[in-house]
């Protein structure tokens, strides 16, 4: 349904990412899928299930806003790595 991918440049060569997605799961429930980690590596995943789309979108916005406060941004400039 809706996906938001955020990036954060660190002092390391590979930037970090944070992904928030709202989607229906196999049981037709609305879930918020969160994934974060280092680009090119295995990330961590967490899925929360909500009763309706409104609760899921509020939760997704909350997680997105927290990531932005930690320095993540929606631009692809963070993906460019200075060698």
């Amino acid at each position: 349904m809706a996906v938001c991918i955020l990036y954060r440049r660190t002092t390391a060569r590979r930037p970090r990412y944070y992904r928030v997605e709202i989607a229906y799961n196999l049981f037709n429930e609305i879930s918020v899928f969160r994934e974060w980690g280092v680009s090119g590596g295995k990330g961590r995943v967490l899925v929360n299930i909500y009763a309706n789309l409104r609760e899921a979108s509020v939760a997704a916005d909350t997680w997105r806003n927290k990531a932005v406060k930690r320095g993540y941004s929606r631009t692809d400039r963070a993906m460019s790595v200075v060698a």
Side-chain angles (χ1 to χ4, degrees):
M1 288 179 74
V3 178
C4 178
I5 302 174
L6 305 170
Y7 301 100
R8 183 177 71 180
R9 189 172 203 170
T10 61
T11 57
R13 289 190 178 265
R14 295 186 297 179
R16 299 188 60 80
Y17 70 94
Y18 193 89
R19 177 178 170 211
V20 180
E21 178 180 354
I22 300 172
Y24 285 98
N25 62 17
L26 293 174
F27 304 107
N28 207 24
E29 299 169 326
I30 299 174
S31 58
V32 175
F33 173 84
R34 293 186 290 144
E35 180 181 14
W36 64 93
V38 177
S39 294
K42 185 178 178 182
R44 292 184 168 200
V45 176
L46 185 62
V47 178
N48 296 81
I49 298 171
Y50 293 91
N52 56 44
L53 184 58
R54 183 179 180 92
E55 289 179 10
S57 63
V58 168
D61 285 343
T62 301
W63 291 114
R64 181 182 48 87
N65 291 337
K66 286 182 180 183
V68 168
K69 286 181 183 177
R70 290 193 311 267
Y72 288 87
S73 65
R74 296 183 84 165
T75 63
D76 291 329
R77 291 183 314 187
M79 293 303 292
S80 61
V81 177
V82 177

